[in-house]
């Protein structure tokens, strides 16, 4: 499989506050052509920051990025401002959790899509509108011609999300980044959007990185899962391997605490404590203070990701205990 | 009951005995007027809650589920008397709320926990002050209220010595939600309304708070109304569940009955929409298309007929009543109503309503 995205040792530090915050710490990930990767993690795990790094959306004056991100053979961190503008939307584009904030409230959605197409390609306004109409049909918006002239506030939540997907696909990107695009939706609408993304991915051969905190959503959409904790990838593998045979104690805890497994009246298994403060990370494994398997050594060295099975890695020195 | 008495005096709970519902709600209606001359012209109303009746039994956890706009949060606010109902009545353990039982006494026995743990705490009050505030309003001395706050902090798993003097912004989301729960319990309520109380928490913290809620329920003999969009959590925690759709009750009944054998097609679709946890059995098609319709202009007849795969012409004409059926559940569907005219309805056996 050719690689669509290759992230090597990416670190992102935000320097705007009183203390620097290392939100992403040495993340390496790869995404194959036509593959869907879910980045799973809790708030503050660095999953969204990793995603946004691919489009260099962090404020340059208040953040520091090191490492390398290669998309379609080009190093994203080396792009000039002009190249970056072509790159955004043209090669990689993104959909967000809240379409109401991502879409411009004072232009119709049709105008926003045709503007994006004409920014990237030499094409007449009429042809751009035809493309926009085809996109609306593609994302299954009913009465698409009329909807192109609607403002974002005139659409329902699910419809806005579809319009945003149409906008993201307007310039035929090869990589789509999705930052919790279904979290704010009702379950009945969420499953529609997940199925739509899966269909688009199949038909257009898109490579997708999908950020979510919801294991069920990751299972529905992804081929592979990378679990993040405190800015690092702690486990990565195929959906089947990670869900059925998790090896990192954090992934195991997360899966064990799911209410779906429990019977009414049971006590849920829990991970004690709460996610760590990124400004004051403990030395060694960031999960050690909450981990039942932690050994003295865990508090000294940061465990590297190591192979625990075919295409399945975990960053834990006690993996021998988690078979 | 006079303000000035300590709130934690045993005020003779369980007046009506165990068979008397703790709270009986009858024909609750709340319409919100829509401002301006919108698409629907003047005088349009959002029918947020449109004739809802149900009982909350003593000691149970009643779940309320439904999509956005179904009226579940409005129902919670009406139960709490945060907004005034247009019509309908509520009877709390045999006493009519607002008539036999004045609102001050009622509110002491019914408390609420909201989704946004930060917005529901006063940022200028320390944790201890926030928890002690309610009892002081209800006439408990400052020293007693403080002692009570410390006691409650310990019960929700936060060491009083470390946390009592902190401000909300110094705590994590899970810790803040524990504070909100402690504050709700400070007046020793009998009914606690949890409106998406665990929805904003990280999964690893959510499990902790769910365990805490179960412990507190046993310890204090509480009754819960648990509102959530997460059916997996609801399935785990509730005894009975009420499914709402566009301001009406679609189905209500014992949790295992409703989740195991839903009788309303909407309940079935809602359950089938949950993400599957099995990578080899992913969803192949969406059980429902489109978003929930607008509660300003709800469909005629059965409100679900526009999205229902089994709808027949009769569904757009006749509004189904909530009908009791075997298996400890009630559903508002013409297919469950004998002789309704729907081809899948059971034949009318007797002149049973």
């Amino acid at each position: 499989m050719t690689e669509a995205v290759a992230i090597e040792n990416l670190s992102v530090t935000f320097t705007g506050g009183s203390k620097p915050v290392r939100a992403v710490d040495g993340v390496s990930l790869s995404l194959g052509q036509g593959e869907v990767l879910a980045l799973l993690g809790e708030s503050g795990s660095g999953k969204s920051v990793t995603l946004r790094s691919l489009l260099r959306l962090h404020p340059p004056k208040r953040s520091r990025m090191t490492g390398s991100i290669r998309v379609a053979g080009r190093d994203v961190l080396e792009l000039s401002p002009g190249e970056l503008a072509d790159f955004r939307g043209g090669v990689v584009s993104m959909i967000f959790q809240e379409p109401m904030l991502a879409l411009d409230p004072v232009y119709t959605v049709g105008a926003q899509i045709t503007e994006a197409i004409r920014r990237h390609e030499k094409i007449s306004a009429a042809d751009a509108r035809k493309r926009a109409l085809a996109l609306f049909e593609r994302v299954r918006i009913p009465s698409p011609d009329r909807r192109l002239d609607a403002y974002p506030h005139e659409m329902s939540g699910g419809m806005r999300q579809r319009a945003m997907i149409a906008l993201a696909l307007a310039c035929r990107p090869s990589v789509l980044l999705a930052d919790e695009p279904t979290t704010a939706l009702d379950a009945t609408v969420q499953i529609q959007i997940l199925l739509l993304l899966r269909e688009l991915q199949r038909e257009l051969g898109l490579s997708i990185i999908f950020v979510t905190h919801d294991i069920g959503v990751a299972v529905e959409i992804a081929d592979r899962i990378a679990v993040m904790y405190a800015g690092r990838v702690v486990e990565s593998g195929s959906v089947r391997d990670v869900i059925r045979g998790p090896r990192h104690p954090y992934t195991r805890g997360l899966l064990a605490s799911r209410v779906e497994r429990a019977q009414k009246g049971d006590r849920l298994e829990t991970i004690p404590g709460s996610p760590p403060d990124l400004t004051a990370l403990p030395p060694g494994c960031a999960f050690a203070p909450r981990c039942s398997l932690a050994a003295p050594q865990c508090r000294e060295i940061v465990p590297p990701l190591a192979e625990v099975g075919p295409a399945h890695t975990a960053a834990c020195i006690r993996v021998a205990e988690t078979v | 009951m006079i303000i000035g008495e300590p709130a934690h005096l045993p005020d003779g709970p369980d007046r009506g005995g165990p068979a008397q519902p703790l709270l009986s709600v009858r024909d609750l209606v709340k319409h919100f007027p829509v401002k301006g001359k919108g698409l629907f012209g003047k005088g349009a109303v959002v029918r947020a809650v449109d004739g809802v009746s149900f009982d909350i039994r003593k000691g149970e956890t009643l779940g309320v589920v439904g999509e956005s706009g179904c009226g579940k949060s409005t129902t919670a606010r009406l139960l709490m008397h945060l907004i005034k109902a247009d019509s309908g009545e509520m009877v709390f353990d045999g006493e009519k709320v607002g008539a036999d039982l004045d609102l001050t006494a009622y509110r002491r026995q019914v408390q609420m926990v909201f989704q946004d743990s930060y917005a529901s705490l006063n940022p200028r009050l320390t944790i201890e002050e926030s928890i002690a505030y309610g009892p002081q309003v209800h006439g408990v001395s400052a020293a007693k209220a403080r002692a009570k706050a410390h006691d409650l902090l310990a019960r929700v798993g936060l060491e009083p010595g470390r946390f009592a003097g902190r401000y909300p912004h110094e705590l994590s989301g899970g810790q803040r939600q524990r504070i909100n729960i402690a504050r709700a319990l400070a007046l020793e309520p009998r009914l606690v309304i949890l409106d998406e109380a665990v929805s904003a928490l990280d999964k690893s913290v959510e499990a902790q708070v769910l365990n805490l809620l179960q412990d507190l329920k046993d310890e204090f003999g509480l009754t819960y109304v648990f509102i959530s969009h997460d059916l997996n959590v609801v399935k785990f925690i509730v005894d009975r569940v009420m499914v709402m759709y566009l301001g009406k009750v679609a189905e209500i009944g014992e949790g295992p009955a409703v989740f195991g054998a839903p009788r309303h097609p909407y309940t079935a679709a809602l359950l089938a929409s949950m993400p599957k946890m099995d990578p080899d059995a992913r969803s192949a098609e969406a059980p429902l298309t489109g978003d929930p319709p607008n509660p300003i202009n709800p469909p005629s007849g059965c409100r679900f007929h526009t999205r229902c795969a089994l709808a027949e012409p009769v569904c757009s004409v006749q509004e189904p009543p909530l009908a009791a059926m075997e298996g400890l559940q009630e559903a508002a569907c013409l297919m469950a109503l004998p002789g309704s005219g729907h081809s899948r309805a059971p034949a009318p056996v007797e002149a049973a309503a």
Side-chain angles (χ1 to χ4, degrees):
Chain A
M1 195 155 31
T2 47
E3 282 189 346
V5 177
I7 300 174
E8 284 294 336
N9 203 17
L10 174 73
S11 292
V12 182
T13 310
F14 293 106
T15 52
S18 52
K19 275 188 269 183
V21 177
R22 181 166 261 221
V24 174
D25 189 5
V27 164
S28 298
L29 285 171
S30 69
L31 175 70
Q33 202 80 52
E35 190 180 43
V36 183
L37 170 71
L39 281 185
L40 185 70
E42 298 180 304
S43 47
S45 62
K47 55 192 193 305
S48 291
V49 176
T50 303
L51 197 72
R52 279 154 202 250
S53 302
L54 275 110
L55 284 175
R56 274 173 52 193
L57 292 177
H58 306 305
K61 285 191 182 143
R62 282 179 283 123
S63 63
R64 208 166 48 234
M65 286 166 73
T66 58
S68 87
I69 303 174
R70 299 189 73 79
V71 178
R74 299 156 81 189
D75 193 334
V76 178
L77 301 187
E78 300 297 323
L79 296 176
S80 69
E83 288 169 331
L84 186 61
D86 288 341
F87 175 80
R88 290 176 177 165
V91 182
V92 178
S93 82
M94 186 153 174
I95 55 176
F96 299 88
Q97 178 172 347
E98 203 25 270
M100 204 54 196
L101 300 176
L103 294 166
D104 193 324
V106 301
Y107 293 97
T108 63
V109 283
Q112 295 180 53
I113 294 175
T114 46
E115 184 196 359
I117 296 172
R118 298 189 73 197
R119 158 65 184 76
H120 285 268
E121 293 171 38
K122 272 199 173 354
I123 181 172
S124 75
D127 286 345
R129 177 155 174 119
K130 266 184 218 153
R131 275 261 294 275
L133 184 63
L135 281 163
F136 262 38
E137 282 163 0
R138 178 112 226 189
V139 298
R140 305 252 177 76
I141 291 181
S143 31
D145 204 22
R146 198 160 53 83
R147 291 286 185 189
L148 278 177
D149 296 322
Y151 289 90
H153 74 270
E154 294 173 319
M155 301 175 126
S156 64
M159 207 67 82
R160 274 201 291 271
Q161 204 57 266
R162 287 171 194 266
M164 186 166 65
I165 293 170
L167 175 59
L169 299 178
C171 302
R172 303 184 172 122
S174 56
V175 178
L176 182 67
L177 309 177
D179 191 359
E180 307 235 16
T182 61
T183 304
L185 301 173
D186 284 312
T188 53
V189 182
Q190 163 171 283
I191 194 72
Q192 297 172 30
I193 299 292
L194 291 176
L195 290 168
L196 173 69
L197 284 172
R198 242 158 61 187
E199 179 191 317
L200 291 169
Q201 185 270 331
R202 233 178 9 247
E203 288 176 12
L204 308 175
L206 284 172
S207 314
I208 299 181
I209 303 183
F210 194 104
V211 160
T212 181
H213 69 276
D214 187 327
I215 300 169
V217 168
V219 172
E220 281 283 355
I221 189 101
D223 303 315
R224 279 198 304 134
I225 292 184
V227 183
M228 290 190 72
Y229 187 80
R232 300 179 190 131
V233 174
V234 295
E235 180 156 6
S236 141
S238 72
V239 171
R240 279 182 194 82
D241 289 346
V242 173
I243 297 299
R244 295 196 182 140
R247 297 297 297 278
H248 194 282
Y250 173 64
T251 320
R252 295 168 71 85
L254 214 51
L255 284 160
S257 65
R258 272 172 26 233
V259 288
E260 292 91 323
R261 293 181 4 142
Q263 292 297 310
K264 192 180 149 39
D266 284 359
R267 283 194 74 73
L268 294 171
E269 286 182 41
T270 60
I271 304 175
S274 49
D277 176 0
L278 291 176
T279 60
L281 276 187
C285 174
F287 186 63
R290 301 174 76 186
C291 181
S292 58
L293 294 175
Q297 214 188 340
C298 297
R299 298 177 199 273
E300 286 156 25
I301 54 153
V302 177
L305 272 175
E307 195 102 327
V308 291
H312 186 183
T313 56
C316 177
I317 55 172
R318 309 282 317 260
V319 280
E321 326 299 280
T322 63
V323 183
Chain B
M1 197 150 296
I2 309 145
I3 305 176
E5 267 182 32
H8 48 81
L9 266 187
D11 50 340
D14 219 359
R15 277 182 207 83
Q20 169 88 35
L22 184 60
L23 187 65
S24 244
V25 176
R26 288 292 167 267
D27 301 314
L28 208 57
V29 174
K30 181 70 191 175
H31 293 177
F32 295 105
V34 182
K35 280 192 189 127
K37 291 178 290 196
L39 186 57
F40 305 98
K42 266 199 172 156
V45 290
V46 177
R47 297 164 170 268
V49 171
D50 207 11
V52 164
S53 303
F54 60 94
D55 287 342
I56 301 167
R57 298 178 189 159
K58 281 177 185 157
E60 77 169 353
T61 301
L62 175 71
V64 184
V65 299
E67 291 166 296
S68 48
C70 73
K72 54 189 193 297
S73 285
T74 306
T75 304
R77 281 165 170 73
L78 289 170
L79 292 186
M80 210 34 222
H81 259 279
L82 292 177
I83 48 178
K84 208 172 164 343
D86 295 345
S87 65
E89 65 168 28
M90 300 198 299
V91 176
F92 188 82
D93 205 3
E95 294 180 299
K96 195 172 171 213
V97 178
D100 310 328
L101 186 67
D102 68 66
L103 281 184
T104 313
Y106 174 70
R107 285 214 179 101
R108 190 183 299 167
Q109 303 187 63
V110 183
Q111 288 287 307
M112 187 158 172
V113 179
F114 299 87
Q115 173 168 10
D116 188 335
S117 64
Y118 191 64
S120 46
L121 287 169
N122 185 334
R124 289 162 183 256
L125 294 186
T126 61
I127 296 317
E128 174 187 88
E129 287 165 345
S130 272
I131 299 174
Y133 193 90
Q136 286 185 58
V137 167
H138 283 273
V140 177
S141 74
K144 269 190 182 164
R146 242 178 61 107
K148 174 103 191 165
H150 281 242
D151 183 36
L152 280 166
L153 274 175
R155 304 258 180 127
V156 298
L158 299 172
E159 206 184 299
R162 274 176 65 207
F163 289 94
R166 294 201 194 175
Y167 287 89
H169 73 268
E170 297 175 289
L171 304 175
S172 69
Q175 289 168 342
R176 276 201 298 267
Q177 206 56 302
R178 287 170 189 266
I179 303 295
N180 281 312
I181 293 167
R183 182 181 59 177
L185 297 181
L187 286 168
E188 301 194 350
R190 296 171 67 191
L191 177 64
V192 179
I193 299 166
L194 302 153
D195 188 0
E196 302 273 9
V198 298
S199 305
L201 302 177
D202 281 318
K203 288 288 163 194
S204 69
V205 179
E206 180 187 271
Q208 297 170 6
V209 175
L210 288 174
N211 279 343
L212 172 69
L213 287 171
Q214 305 256 65
D215 293 346
L216 293 172
K217 182 167 183 267
D218 296 341
E219 195 177 335
F220 292 93
L222 299 168
T223 301
Y224 286 150
V225 174
F226 191 92
I227 299 172
S228 179
H229 68 280
D230 188 335
L231 288 178
N232 290 322
V233 173
V234 171
K235 196 171 174 178
F236 168 70
I237 201 158
V238 306
D239 299 303
R240 289 195 311 138
V241 62
M242 174 163 87
V243 183
M244 291 185 71
Y245 189 74
L246 286 181
K248 295 256 183 202
V249 178
E251 183 160 1
I252 183 168
E254 301 289 325
V258 173
F259 287 112
R263 297 296 298 268
H264 197 290
Y266 176 63
T267 313
L270 209 53
L271 288 168
S273 297
M274 297 309 288
K276 311 290 172 287
M277 282 304 302
D278 182 355
D280 293 317
R282 291 175 169 189
S283 306
E285 65 182 308
L288 289 180
T289 55
D291 295 72
N294 196 327
I296 292 178
N297 232 345
S300 62
C302 171
R303 294 182 175 194
F304 185 58
H305 83 261
T306 51
R307 296 168 88 195
C308 183
L310 304 168
E312 293 185 359
V314 63
C315 296
S316 60
V317 184
Q318 195 186 334
E319 187 173 329
L322 203 55
M325 51 195 64
E326 79 285 2
L328 307 164
Q329 73 209 87
E330 294 169 61
C333 176
L334 293 179
M335 290 189 289
L337 186 71
S340 65
H342 194 289
S343 61
R344 288 169 183 252
V349 192
E350 284 168 66

